[in-house]
Amino acid sequence: MRHTQTPVIEEAFGAGNVRWLDVGLTPQTAPLAAGCNATCLFVNDRADAETIDALADLGVRFIAMRCAGFDRVDLDACARRGVAVTRVPAYSPYAIAEHAIAMMLALNRQLMKGHARVVQGNYSLSGLVGFDMHGKTVGIVGTGKIGRCTAKILLGMGCEVLAYDVFQSKEAIAMGVKYVDTVQELLPRCQIVSLHCPLTDDTYHLMDDATFNLMRKGSMLVNTSRGGLVDTAALARALDAQKIACVAMDVYEHEAGLFFEDKSEETDATPGSSLSPDWDLSLGSLASRPNVLVTSHQAFLTAEALGNIASTTVENLREFAGGGGAGEGGGYVNEVIGH
Ligand code: NAI
């Protein structure tokens, strides 16, 4: 990621004016921003009130998120401390939608199992039966930019697309998406449910024991949105009880500090094959199931998306540097989500 975005940002501001830090933002790492007016954060950086206070005490006045989601930024704390925040609301909805579809198909057609067999010289097809996507009903929760792209691909495959959103999109309806009034109404009607709404107080643990119980037996859940939408313990229970058949997740409730990091070499202090306390056993146990497909928040990771993120972030930073950050959203090329 850094290789794609570094040149764009350094060319815009001069290499000497940009400090690259290979650590996630926490209250403990915030002092590394000393001397900076702006910080540029990614999706799992921690920007809670304590961290915002630490940054603001150092004179940081601007946070440029290099992502769309801002659920880890305490906007009230930013407002209180006069820290403006921008994000990149749309950089490539196709990237995430296509990843969601890739995960759906990989699970349905058991591609991981099929490939592993061939590598081992096992060319048997037993147990690899999938289903035609054509004619199946897929539920989309959240028909914003990514949800609509996902719906369009699914409609092209001959699926029926049902959707739930707090706002109905005319574009989605024109495409052929049919809305229902509640998530509770959506879940029992779909073979596949794909989540594309943001993580908010209202959507936290949208999928819990009660909502998993509403899903069709043998159905699939796909989550490329935010980990907190799904209660991980309830998901494990739904899989154990074979309430749902399988799950694809690009995001995980407790991914902060894990995803984007290489933990594979970490052990505790005991010599030999020991396990670091950092290993997430709940994720490990989920990911080891043959009916669970996990990627570590890589849905956005296309060359096009990275290029768009870098150039929009540069525009956001330029607006801030040009004094556009103080007014009522004035001067920003992007939506101001808190100031
Ligand atoms: P968007 O803002 O265009 O669409 C979000 C939609 O969710 C809107 O239509 C909104 O009305 C709807 N929504 C809000 N609250 C809802 C609720 N309670 N129930 C149902 N629908 C609700 O956002 P976009 O660009 O489509 O992104 C969706 C989400 O995808 C982001 O919030 C982010 O969490 C996630 N994302 C994941 C990425 C990844 O790499 N895995 C990358 C980018 C975004």
Side-chain angles (χ1 to χ4, degrees):
M1 242 187 316
R2 184 164 153 178
H3 301 295
T4 338
Q5 303 193 334
T6 308
V8 181
I9 294 179
E10 287 190 345
E11 190 184 306
F13 298 106
N17 292 318
V18 183
R19 197 183 297 163
W20 295 98
L21 300 166
D22 273 329
V23 291
L25 177 65
T26 63
Q28 291 70 40
T29 58
L32 294 169
C36 297
N37 308 112
T39 55
C40 187
L41 307 183
F42 197 47
V43 62
N44 282 334
D45 282 308
R46 181 177 148 191
D48 56 9
E50 188 185 353
T51 315
I52 298 298
D53 278 335
L55 289 175
D57 288 345
L58 294 167
V60 172
R61 289 285 165 263
F62 187 69
I63 292 176
M65 300 297 293
R66 297 195 308 285
C67 56
F70 50 92
D71 41 89
R72 289 178 65 81
V73 182
D74 186 328
L75 295 180
D76 291 336
C78 290
R80 178 169 49 77
R81 296 302 307 262
V83 176
V85 185
T86 55
R87 62 173 176 148
V88 185
Y91 44 84
S92 171
Y94 313 106
I96 297 98
E98 288 169 14
H99 192 81
I101 300 290
M103 294 187 100
M104 255 174 230
L105 291 173
L107 263 184
N108 166 10
R109 304 307 296 268
Q110 307 197 55
L111 298 186
M112 295 86 68
K113 205 196 275 183
H115 176 70
R117 280 189 192 181
V118 170
V119 169
Q120 292 174 2
N122 174 358
Y123 309 111
S124 143
L125 296 183
S126 89
L128 294 185
V129 181
F131 56 83
D132 284 6
M133 292 291 288
H134 185 271
K136 297 297 178 295
T137 303
V138 183
I140 303 278
V141 181
T143 51
K145 293 173 285 297
I146 297 170
R148 288 199 302 275
C149 271
T150 308
K152 196 169 180 181
I153 300 170
L154 291 165
L155 289 163
M157 294 168 87
C159 298
E160 185 186 3
V161 179
L162 294 184
Y164 169 70
D165 193 308
V166 283
F167 300 108
Q168 298 195 356
S169 150
K170 284 189 187 139
E171 190 187 325
I173 293 168
M175 235 187 258
V177 171
K178 297 185 187 96
Y179 279 96
V180 294
D181 292 331
T182 60
V183 175
Q184 286 69 17
E185 198 184 324
L186 181 88
L187 297 175
R189 294 176 61 182
C190 303
Q191 275 95 0
I192 300 174
V193 174
S194 194
L195 305 180
H196 298 287
C197 60
L199 177 62
T200 62
D201 289 346
D202 286 344
T203 60
Y204 176 73
H205 282 188
L206 177 80
M207 296 308 304
D208 58 11
D209 285 313
T211 41
F212 276 120
N213 271 329
L214 293 172
M215 285 186 74
R216 261 171 99 136
K217 190 167 168 54
S219 58
M220 177 195 301
L221 177 71
V222 179
N223 185 9
T224 55
S225 197
R226 280 295 178 269
L229 297 177
V230 176
D231 176 346
T232 308
L235 167 64
R237 284 190 287 271
L239 288 165
D240 287 347
Q242 298 188 327
K243 180 63 207 166
I244 61 168
C246 52
V247 64
M249 40 199 275
D250 182 53
V251 286
Y252 167 56
E253 191 176 7
H254 310 296
E255 69 177 55
L258 280 186
F259 283 12
F260 313 133
E261 307 293 332
D262 181 358
K263 301 276 181 191
S264 62
E265 303 299 325
E266 287 187 16
T267 60
D268 67 15
T270 320
S273 191
S274 57
L275 198 58
S276 148
D278 268 4
W279 269 82
D280 187 311
L281 296 177
S282 153
L283 177 64
S285 134
L286 273 175
S288 66
R289 299 177 192 230
N291 54 346
V292 176
L293 174 59
V294 186
T295 49
S296 53
H297 211 135
Q298 78 176 71
F300 72 98
L301 199 62
T302 66
E304 291 81 359
L306 290 175
N308 291 338
I309 289 171
S311 56
T312 305
T313 301
V314 164
E315 292 304 315
N316 288 343
L317 284 161
R318 276 216 177 99
E319 288 294 330
F320 166 68
E328 187 82 6
Y332 282 85
V333 287
N334 280 75
E335 178 189 0
V336 176
I337 55 174
H339 62 98

